[in-house]
Amino acid sequence: MPYTPADDEKHLLAAIDIAARSRAHGNHPFGALLVLGGEIVLEAENTVVTGQDATGHAETNVVRLACRTYRREQLPESTLYTSTEHCAMCAGAVYWSGIRRVVYALGEDELLAVTGANPDNPTMSLPCREVFARGQRPTSVSGPSLHAPAAAVHDGFWN
C-alpha cells in the first residue's frame, strides 16, 4: 500500500507520542509502531530501564511483537515508524524480521547532539541506511523528519 507524506507524518507523530509515554513510564524517550494495511497494528515503548534489558529498545520490542503476531510473509508489507533513527542493533532486528520500509523522525546524528556524552545513551555514529545497505534485500528508509517535535520529547531528559 502506498503511503502519502501525510500518512507518514501522522504515524511519526504517533511514534513521538509513544516516546513521551515511554519517558513518563520511567524509560528512555523512544517509541515505535508498525503499520500494516494502512492501520497501526502494534506499538512499543522503550523498556531499557524498567525491563533492565539493554536490548529493550522500542524498535526491537515492536519487532519481537511483530514476529510473534504476524506471518513472515506479511512483514515485508508493513512499515515501521519510529521517533528516532534505528541504532545498529535495531536496524539488524528490522532487517532480520523482513520489514522492508522504515520511517523515522529524529536522526541518529541529531540524537547525539541532544544526548551528548550521556553514558545512558552512547549513541553510535552509524546511520541505519548503512546497516540496511549491507543486506541482501532492500529496505526503504525515510527520515529524518519532524525534528522539532521529535527532539522536544528529549528536552531535559539527558542532562
Side-chain angles (χ1 to χ4, degrees):
M1 173 180 184
Y3 294 95
T4 67
D7 292 327
D8 286 348
E9 182 172 320
K10 175 180 77 171
H11 296 313
L12 283 175
L13 289 171
I16 293 166
D17 286 344
I18 296 166
R21 284 198 327 252
S22 178
R23 180 178 178 166
H25 293 143
N27 287 294
H28 299 159
F30 300 102
L33 59 87
L34 190 73
V35 171
L36 187 61
E39 300 295 323
I40 297 172
V41 294
L42 295 171
E43 59 181 52
E45 299 175 10
N46 176 289
T47 57
V48 167
V49 176
T50 58
Q52 298 179 352
D53 179 357
T55 67
H57 293 194
E59 298 91 334
T60 56
N61 288 339
V62 84
V63 165
R64 286 181 189 117
L65 285 170
C67 290
R68 287 192 301 259
T69 306
Y70 294 98
R71 294 184 320 275
R72 182 105 170 127
E73 60 271 11
Q74 289 177 289
L75 293 179
E77 302 304 317
S78 66
T79 299
L80 179 60
Y81 290 89
T82 59
S83 61
T84 307
E85 182 176 0
H86 314 327
C87 70
M89 175 187 70
C90 292
V94 170
Y95 176 80
W96 288 111
S97 75
I99 294 169
R100 299 273 178 94
R101 181 171 186 258
V102 298
V103 182
Y104 65 87
L106 193 68
E108 187 80 359
D109 57 335
E110 296 169 310
L111 177 63
L112 178 58
V114 171
T115 63
N118 189 300
D120 287 340
N121 193 51
T123 304
M124 299 174 107
S125 182
L126 181 59
C128 69
R129 283 177 173 84
E130 289 185 34
V131 176
F132 293 131
R134 304 294 178 145
Q136 294 181 18
R137 62 177 171 261
T139 302
S140 168
V141 179
S142 180
S145 180
L146 303 178
H147 173 83
V153 76
H154 293 274
D155 283 348
F157 185 84
W158 301 103
N159 31 4

